[in-house]
Amino acid sequence: MTTFLLIAAAVLLLAAFLCLYRIGQGPTAPDRTVAIDILGTLVVGFCCIMALWTGQGFYMNIAIAWALLSFIGTIALAKYLEGRYYDE
Amino acid sequence: MNETAAQIIIGVGLAFDLFGCIGLVRLPDVYNRVQAATKCVTLGTCFILLGTAVYGMSAAMGIKAMLCAVFILLTSPVAAHAIARGAYKSGVRLWEGSVVDLYGEEKHPSRPPDERTEPAQAGETLGAGRESG
Amino acid sequence: MKQLLCIVFTFGLWVALTWTPGVADVFVGVVVALLVATLLSHIYPDNPHKALDPRRVFWFLVYIPYFLFYCVRANLDVAYRVLHPDVPIRPGIVKVRTKLESEMAKTFLANSITLTPGTLTVDIDGSDLYIHWINVVGEGVEEHSALIVRRFEKLLRRIFE
C-alpha cells in the first residue's frame, strides 16, 4: 500500500505542477483563478493520501476545511473579476 | 479485498485528476479550461475520497470523506459558474474557433462582434478589454 | 417549523463531523445549532418540509445514479478531447430554455449541466440559461434545449415542484 500511495502522491504532484504552469502562464486573470481553484481541490486529494499514509484521522478535518475555504476564496476572486464591467 | 478495491478507485480518481490538469494546460481559452478542469478534477477528487472511505481505516474517516465529497460536488460547479461569468464580464474573449456566442449578442450588444472571439494575446494579463469599457 | 428543521439539520451535520461525540461535544453542538438557526435561518430554503415527502426522496435517490452516469460519461468525453492530438473542439455559447420554475430546481439544473458532457452554465436569466458548449451541434434554442436540458428536467420537476 505504501508504494501505491507514493505513486499516488507523485501523480498528484505532477497535476499540481500543471496547475502551477497555468498560474504562471496566464494569459488572463480568470485563467489563473481557475488554476487556483483546481489546485485547492487537488490539496483535498493530497489530504486523503496523507490520511491513508499516516493513519491519522485529522487530515480529513483539514480536507473538509480546505474544500470549503477554497470555495469561498474562488467566489471572492470571481466576484472581483465580475466587478469590472465591460459595458455598464 | 478492501485494500484492492480502494486502490482501484483511488487509481481511477488520480487518472481523472491528471486528465483535468492536462486539459487545463492544452485547451485554448478560459471557458474550455473551466469545463475540462472542473468536471475532471471534481469527479477525480470524489473518487479519491470514496477510495479513502472504502479502505475503511475508521468510521470517522469514512463519514468525513463522504461529507467532503458531497461538499465538493455542491460547491465546485458553483465556483465554475462564478469564474465563467466573471471572465465574460471582465472582457475575456472566446477562442477564435468558437462558432456561436448568443450570450454576447443578447447580453452585451455594445461589444463589437469582432472583439468577442479574438484570441487573447500572450502577455495580456489583467482585464483584457478594460480600456474600451 | 423551518427553524426546527434547520436546528435538526445543523445538529446532524455537527454529530457527523465529530463522529463518536462525547457529552461535551453534544452540548456544544446544541448551542451552535441554536445559534445558527436563529441567525441564519433566512438563507435556508423557504419550504424545507418538501424534503420530507417520500416521493421526492425516492425520485432524488433515482436522480443520483442517473446523474453519476452522465458525470462519468462527461469525464471520459473530456479525457478523449484532451488526449486527442488535434484537440477536437467546436466551442460556443448557446441559449436554452427551461420549464422549471423554483429557484432550487434551477440551481440543481445548472449544477447538473456543468458536470455533464461538454456543457457549462455561464449565466441564468429568468427561464433562459446561457451555456458554453465545448462541441456545438444543432441549431436554434429549441434543438439545443432538447439536447441539453430535457434529460434532467423531468426528474427535477418531480423532486422539487
Side-chain angles (χ1 to χ4, degrees):
Chain A
M1 190 70 183
T2 314
T3 323
F4 175 78
L5 289 176
L6 205 62
I7 297 169
V11 172
L12 278 178
L13 203 63
L14 178 62
F17 269 107
L18 291 173
C19 285
L20 281 181
Y21 170 81
R22 184 46 69 199
I23 293 176
Q25 283 292 309
T28 60
D31 285 305
R32 298 193 168 97
T33 313
V34 179
I36 291 166
D37 180 37
I38 298 308
L39 206 52
T41 316
L42 286 179
V43 169
V44 175
F46 258 118
C47 287
C48 290
I49 303 294
M50 288 305 291
L52 288 180
W53 198 327
T54 60
Q56 301 281 338
F58 72 86
Y59 279 107
M60 295 319 294
N61 300 357
I62 302 175
I64 291 175
W66 196 289
L68 295 177
L69 285 178
S70 120
F71 168 66
I72 293 170
T74 310
I75 292 293
L77 274 170
K79 280 279 168 200
Y80 168 70
L81 290 172
E82 203 174 313
R84 299 187 307 219
Y85 288 106
Y86 185 89
D87 56 0
E88 280 178 15
Chain B
M1 177 57 207
N2 264 355
E3 192 170 318
T4 319
Q7 283 185 357
I8 291 169
I9 294 172
I10 293 179
V12 172
L14 288 169
F16 280 145
D17 268 11
L18 196 61
F19 292 153
C21 288
I22 293 173
L24 195 62
V25 170
R26 283 199 75 192
L27 290 173
D29 77 352
V30 63
Y31 307 98
N32 295 313
R33 285 176 197 144
V34 172
Q35 285 220 17
T38 304
K39 284 196 237 303
C40 278
V41 175
T42 303
L43 196 72
T45 307
C46 282
F47 267 110
I48 294 179
L49 287 160
L50 183 67
T52 313
V54 167
Y55 187 72
M57 210 161 255
S58 63
M61 225 158 108
I63 286 171
K64 280 172 193 165
M66 291 329 289
L67 272 176
C68 195
V70 171
F71 288 154
I72 287 184
L73 270 180
L74 287 178
T75 56
S76 93
V78 180
H81 308 162
I83 294 173
R85 216 169 99 110
Y88 205 102
K89 296 227 164 154
S90 76
V92 176
R93 296 150 186 171
L94 269 74
W95 180 50
E96 56 183 335
S98 305
V99 288
V100 58
D101 181 11
L102 274 175
Y103 188 53
E105 282 166 28
E106 293 182 7
K107 288 286 168 177
H108 304 272
S110 65
R111 198 182 300 192
D114 57 324
E115 276 193 22
R116 288 189 198 128
T117 54
E118 264 178 57
Q121 297 296 312
E124 192 178 22
T125 49
L126 280 166
R130 187 203 238 164
E131 58 282 347
S132 24
Chain C
M1 182 66 186
K2 190 176 156 187
Q3 261 87 354
L4 191 70
L5 277 167
C6 179
I7 291 172
V8 170
F9 177 74
T10 317
F11 185 67
L13 200 62
W14 176 277
V15 169
L17 283 173
T18 59
W19 189 248
T20 44
V23 180
D25 289 327
V26 171
F27 179 72
V28 175
V30 169
V31 172
V32 171
L34 282 173
L35 210 64
V36 168
T38 337
L39 293 177
L40 297 173
S41 64
H42 63 276
I43 64 169
Y44 275 69
D46 277 331
N47 29 18
H49 56 272
K50 272 186 178 177
L52 300 176
D53 188 338
R55 274 171 305 167
R56 292 177 198 275
V57 174
F58 170 74
W59 285 115
F60 189 68
L61 292 179
V62 172
Y63 180 70
I64 292 172
Y66 185 74
F67 166 71
L68 283 179
F69 165 72
Y70 276 107
C71 199
V72 171
R73 228 185 75 182
N75 279 269
L76 296 175
D77 179 70
V78 169
Y80 162 73
R81 285 182 205 288
V82 164
L83 297 178
H84 196 282
D86 301 332
V87 192
I89 56 172
R90 194 167 172 272
I93 297 182
V94 300
K95 186 168 98 169
V96 298
R97 203 161 279 143
T98 173
K99 288 172 196 145
L100 296 173
E101 270 155 25
S102 75
E103 294 290 318
M104 198 73 178
K106 274 191 229 165
T107 313
F108 265 78
L109 179 67
N111 283 3
S112 306
I113 284 172
T114 300
L115 289 176
T116 49
T119 49
L120 165 78
T121 316
V122 176
D123 203 352
I124 297 186
D125 177 29
S127 63
D128 297 343
L129 282 84
Y130 293 92
I131 288 176
H132 184 267
W133 202 352
I134 207 166
N135 189 28
V136 177
V137 290
E139 188 89 8
V141 175
E142 289 307 315
E143 199 178 343
H144 290 153
S145 306
L147 282 168
I148 297 175
V149 178
R150 297 288 170 264
R151 57 169 90 120
F152 296 117
E153 238 177 17
K154 272 185 198 164
L155 274 174
L156 283 175
R157 182 173 304 123
R158 283 187 184 139
I159 296 167
F160 291 106
E161 284 173 9

